[in-house]
Amino acid sequence: MHETGGPQQVWVTSRSTGDHECRGELMIDDLRSIVTHTLAHEGPNGPNGAVTQYILAAAERHLHDGLRSALGSTSSPGEETSLLSRLLPLEGFGPDVLDISRNNLRRRWATASDWLDDVIAYALRPGRADEHARAAVSAATGMVGRPLGELISAVTAGEVAAERDPARFGLAEMIRTMWPDHPAVRSARTTLDEYALHWWVPVYSHILDVYGLALIDGLKIEDFARPLLALVEHEARAQSPGHAARAIVVLISGAVIDTRTGSRLTPAEVTAHTPPTLRSRSRGKKLSMTMVE
């Protein structure tokens, strides 16, 4: 197995034939705050090592396939407390699934629980949503100037679609459903919530500013953003199209004032609200990805 700098290609040597197989290009992410149980924190055996991330990516795929099979074959998979360990045994995963030495995992994880905790953290890592978030911000950028209700509907629909993407989020949803009280799952949930706030708070702040709106006294932007994010997540789980956008309009109605008049807005007024044409510091502003990077 070979590692190179930059975007990585990981090559696996088959012990039976000696042939080399290209397993595709592996983009190396900074996982030092996500994968925290490896024996080494830096270098090739640490979270950012190409082989470490190759192993984790393979474990994620293997776990996804195994859980899908388990969900289809048992009525109560949540009661299978040993399912994770059976799907991803520390001793057997390397030689049985990847055709690599078991020492490749042993050099990285001391115990089976450390290994499973890091696989869960990897599968639930928040950064995998960035592509969808960027697409939602891009959509919002093109709609600034339109009535606020239209912008809210478009951005909300994009976020809900991202939440429902089975290829990107299907495994995460299975893990959260089957093991909601697992310490690694609870920790990942907290990390994801904090990451989402870091991502979306600047976007929400900018939209309010461009549209000449300000939060009422005593309300912090984080307190405003949390229910917005929760509404999107709820719609994605409940399959209730359009409900989140309407609820967000109501929430905004109760949370903001028009900075020109100091007055509150009804939900109908929020829906029809457009940016003030004479507000010089907002005119021509566009949502920028630099706000959230």
Side-chain angles (χ1 to χ4, degrees):
M1 189 172 287
H2 309 287
E3 304 174 24
T4 60
Q8 303 292 333
Q9 280 195 326
V10 179
W11 296 76
V12 177
T13 302
S14 170
R15 290 194 301 273
S16 60
T17 65
D19 295 334
H20 290 77
E21 300 177 51
C22 180
R23 299 291 179 146
E25 188 175 84
L26 175 66
M27 183 65 70
I28 300 301
D29 297 319
D30 187 354
L31 298 179
R32 286 172 294 184
S33 64
I34 302 296
V35 174
T36 59
H37 295 82
T38 51
L39 292 171
H41 299 295
E42 302 290 343
N45 293 332
N48 289 355
V51 176
T52 302
Q53 295 200 18
Y54 167 74
I55 292 171
L56 287 167
E60 181 184 46
R61 291 192 300 271
H62 190 73
L63 183 58
H64 180 268
D65 293 343
L67 288 180
R68 287 186 64 183
S69 175
L71 286 169
S73 62
T74 176
S75 59
S76 55
E79 297 176 4
E80 296 284 347
T81 56
S82 64
L83 181 58
L84 274 173
S85 296
R86 289 191 284 110
L87 286 172
L88 297 172
L90 177 63
E91 292 295 328
F93 185 75
D96 295 344
V97 177
L98 299 180
D99 194 26
I100 62 176
S101 166
R102 69 183 68 247
N103 289 332
N104 272 287
L105 273 73
R106 277 298 189 187
R107 285 197 296 267
R108 291 164 170 82
W109 293 278
T111 67
S113 61
D114 287 344
W115 154 243
L116 292 174
D117 283 353
D118 276 348
V119 171
I120 289 173
Y122 178 81
L124 301 182
R125 66 194 184 280
R128 67 192 314 155
D130 284 0
E131 180 182 343
H132 292 286
R134 285 184 170 84
V137 172
S138 178
T141 299
M143 297 193 67
V144 167
R146 300 288 299 167
L148 185 54
E150 294 182 19
L151 187 150
I152 291 170
S153 294
V155 175
T156 301
E159 292 185 70
V160 168
E163 287 284 334
R164 291 176 177 168
D165 182 348
R168 188 172 295 269
F169 299 101
L171 174 60
E173 183 65 13
M174 282 190 281
I175 291 175
R176 284 194 293 261
T177 299
M178 295 175 72
W179 296 284
D181 295 323
H182 192 292
V185 175
R186 294 170 68 92
S187 176
R189 177 76 262 180
T190 299
T191 299
L192 180 60
D193 289 344
E194 293 173 351
Y195 189 90
L197 282 176
H198 171 76
W199 228 110
W200 286 105
V201 159
V203 176
Y204 295 153
S205 296
H206 191 78
I207 290 174
L208 291 179
D209 181 60
V210 168
Y211 278 78
L213 302 174
L215 296 177
I216 59 176
D217 289 342
L219 182 63
K220 297 179 180 178
I221 186 63
E222 291 80 9
D223 298 328
F224 173 74
R226 288 181 193 278
L228 265 63
L229 295 168
L231 285 167
V232 169
E233 183 173 346
H234 175 73
E235 178 169 317
R237 303 294 175 265
Q239 302 291 316
S240 51
H243 290 186
R246 290 191 290 273
I248 288 171
V249 167
V250 173
L251 187 151
I252 291 175
S253 174
V256 307
I257 59 171
D258 186 321
T259 56
R260 293 170 299 172
T261 65
S263 61
R264 304 281 279 272
L265 302 175
T266 67
E269 289 171 334
V270 170
T271 299
H273 191 74
T274 56
T277 57
L278 300 179
R279 189 177 173 86
S280 59
R281 69 190 183 93
S282 291
R283 290 177 66 188
K285 277 190 176 181
K286 295 293 184 181
L287 292 174
S288 169
M289 291 311 307
T290 60
M291 299 173 351
V292 290
E293 290 179 337

